[in-house]
Amino acid sequence: MLEDKLARWNKVKEVCLRCRACPLAARRTNVVFGEGVLESKVMFVGEGPGEQEDLQGRPFVGPAGQLLDRMLAAIDLDRNKNAMICNIVKCRPPGNRTPTPEEGQKCLPFLRAQVDIVRPRIIVCLGATAVRHIIDPEAFITRVRGQWLERKGFWITATYHPAALLRDPSRKAEAWADLKSIRDKIKELGL
Ligand code: URA
């Protein structure tokens, strides 16, 4: 089972590493496919690689990533043990601009494949870009954060992007409430 997941993951990753479907490919240093445990019950989805991620080819390894790791640890999650971390777009948007809806759409088949392989029970959108691609193109993070919706067997929720929390620490109390809600859902589902 795990070997099967690994083989499928590596196959999709191989295709992703060669992808040139949108203009982001031209300026990337590395494709940032995603990382974590393939058996994870919880998947976190960010926006797209920043500078450090582009250089290292790994998601959430810059300042926002360090905060994300602490947020995960607060609810007993860890990308090396029981969590998966992916992004909407796998290549860095220049200057860390928000990816365009077209770039997001071009890249979404990779995320869909990742979800299909990992089959997490919970998907956590980190910030507005993930919310708009996964939950509703018109949604506002301030309105949907902390809410749950069940779709096709997945429990989906959202919280602030850690980069937003670094810019505006006054949102940390809400983010902590969202994390506790994720911890409660993990318990409720017996994961
Ligand atoms: N921000 C994101 O959305 N994703 C990363 O991988 C890093 C920073």
Side-chain angles (χ1 to χ4, degrees):
M1 179 68 174
L2 183 55
E3 282 111 70
D4 178 48
K5 280 191 177 210
L6 187 58
R8 290 172 67 204
W9 182 267
N10 285 337
K11 211 166 158 187
V12 178
K13 183 171 179 180
E14 217 174 89
V15 176
C16 188
L17 296 187
R18 289 196 311 262
C19 178
R20 308 206 69 85
C22 89
L24 296 182
R27 291 176 63 178
R28 72 183 176 223
T29 310
N30 286 294
V31 173
V32 178
F33 186 59
E35 72 178 24
V37 172
L38 292 177
E39 306 289 71
S40 299
K41 303 296 180 195
V42 189
M43 177 183 278
F44 290 82
V45 183
E47 176 176 293
E51 184 182 19
Q52 278 305 313
E53 291 77 17
D54 174 65
L55 290 172
Q56 297 185 40
R58 298 178 56 209
F60 283 98
V61 288
Q66 286 162 21
L67 176 56
L68 180 63
D69 282 338
R70 292 202 298 278
M71 291 164 70
L72 266 56
I75 53 169
D76 300 318
L77 295 175
D78 180 330
R79 68 173 89 188
N80 297 309
K81 294 195 180 111
N82 55 2
M84 176 57 74
I85 302 179
C86 296
N87 279 305
I88 295 292
V89 295
K90 314 304 194 202
C91 298
R92 183 190 183 199
N96 297 346
R97 65 162 170 75
T98 303
T100 65
E102 293 73 26
E103 290 160 352
Q105 289 304 322
K106 284 269 189 226
C107 215
L108 268 187
F110 291 118
L111 182 64
R112 289 207 185 93
Q114 290 172 313
V115 169
D116 198 46
I117 294 165
V118 177
R119 303 297 303 173
R121 297 294 309 286
I122 294 174
I123 297 174
V124 182
C125 302
L126 297 169
T129 299
V131 160
R132 291 187 169 168
H133 284 84
I134 294 173
I135 297 179
D136 173 354
E138 314 265 286
F140 288 94
I141 179 69
T142 45
R143 298 226 187 102
V144 299
R145 56 148 284 274
Q147 312 281 320
W148 288 93
L149 93 125
E150 192 186 10
R151 206 192 267 167
K152 297 182 191 161
F154 300 106
W155 283 95
I156 304 174
T157 191
T159 190
Y160 291 119
H161 192 290
L165 297 174
L166 291 174
R167 282 193 301 271
D168 181 3
S170 73
R171 296 178 182 192
K172 281 191 178 175
E174 287 174 307
W176 174 235
D178 301 342
L179 288 171
K180 283 194 288 191
S181 166
I182 296 164
R183 188 175 64 188
D184 290 348
K185 183 62 78 182
I186 291 171
K187 215 181 253 177
E188 181 190 319
L189 296 174
L191 305 179

